Amino acid sequence: MATPRDHAPLAERVEELLAAEGPLPIVAAGDPVLRRGTERFDGQLDPALLARFVEALRVTMHAAPGVGVAAPQVGVELRIAVIEDPAPVPDEVRLARGRAPQPFRVLVNPSYEPVGSQRAAYFEGCLSVPGWQAVVARHAQVRLTGEDEQGRALDEVFTGWPARIVQHETDHLDGMLYLDRAELRSLSSNASMAERWTQSTPEEAAKELGFELP
Ligand code: ZN
């Protein structure tokens, strides 16, 4: 059982991080903080500090830009992530990938389980693995449980691209990177992506690079 004393260093570290204005620096793959997993959030940050931390995550996500940021990506081992996706994509991509706009959300102590057995495979990337993308087959639909930043229970089914985002961010909180689940033969630089793999589905990439789709 954690005591308030045990909580002090984490809160102090977050205070230090927030002392600088603007987006927080994003930790890159290779830093053990992305691999250690996280503590459940249990009041380690008081409500005012939690609100400031969540706001800093939001600013960092927007600046990147990205559609989600998990606390370990800014070096904080707490089970907290933020997501938001305005989905600025052509209708064709939106339809193929189910990339519906996802309003800003704070995920506290999230975990997910699959709904049904359908899987969807698309290229995805990660702010902690800059310059690269790879195809990941993920559950097409998941049930996400946890809390929001006010401590209210969260129990929601996500589909399409938002389902992918919540799986990616929750995995970060368990010390996983998307590459752990990726088709490594699909690994493509951002330059290759722009030149070759702009199609709305990865079928052509699968054929040319030699990997299986579900
Ligand atoms: Zn990521």
Side-chain angles (χ1 to χ4, degrees), residues 73 126-127 168 172:
Q73 292 184 280
C126 178
L127 298 176
H168 180 117
H172 271 304

Side-chain angles (χ1 to χ4, degrees), residues 23 49 61 72 88-89 97 117 136 141 158 175 186 194 200 211:
L49 185 55
M61 172 174 65
V89 293
R97 302 184 192 171
S117 57
V136 188
Q141 195 170 56
F158 287 81
S186 71
S200 50
F211 61 89

Side-chain angles (χ1 to χ4, degrees), residues 68 70 73 125-129 168-169 172 176-178:
Q73 292 184 280
C126 178
L127 298 176
S128 295
V129 190
H168 180 117
E169 300 309 330
H172 271 304
M176 286 191 76
L177 293 175
Y178 83 100

